[in-house]
Amino acid sequence: ELFVQYLATYSYKHGRGKEKNALTYSDLSHTAEECETFQFLADILPKKILASKYLKMLEKEKRDGEVGEDDEEDEEEEDEDEAVGEDVGS
């Protein structure tokens, strides 16, 4: 109970709460990201984003993941080629 009170008070004082005379979710999420004491709450209180932005992020990660997997396969093939080349030279 005291922890929640401290989190709310800290967020209110260091966020836009004073300006709006209200505590908002964005104040809490900003506190979780910026304050080292509340860093462990960053996964629980993420910043709000639009669903369209989230879907674009997922799509980009998927594309980057596919490119990253292709790069890893190319590196493995190069390593195998180098190993074969060393055996032939011996």
Side-chain angles (χ1 to χ4, degrees), residues 6-72:
Y6 179 68
L7 172 64
T9 304
Y10 186 92
S11 299
Y12 180 81
K13 288 180 181 177
H14 292 91
R16 297 184 186 142
K18 288 184 180 180
E19 298 169 9
K20 297 180 180 180
N21 201 24
L23 179 63
T24 63
Y25 180 86
S26 61
D27 293 334
L28 293 170
S29 66
H30 180 73
T31 298
E33 279 189 26
E34 301 300 322
C35 182
E36 194 172 316
T37 305
F38 300 110
Q39 196 72 41
F40 71 98
L41 294 173
D43 291 337
I44 298 169
L45 295 167
K47 281 187 175 180
K48 281 187 178 180
I49 60 172
L50 296 175
S52 59
K53 286 185 180 181
Y54 179 73
L55 293 173
K56 286 179 185 177
M57 286 173 40
L58 286 178
E59 187 176 309
K60 182 180 178 186
E61 286 179 10
K62 184 178 178 183
R63 278 187 274 131
D64 291 346
E66 290 174 356
V67 169
E69 290 173 5
D70 291 343
D71 291 344
E72 289 175 10

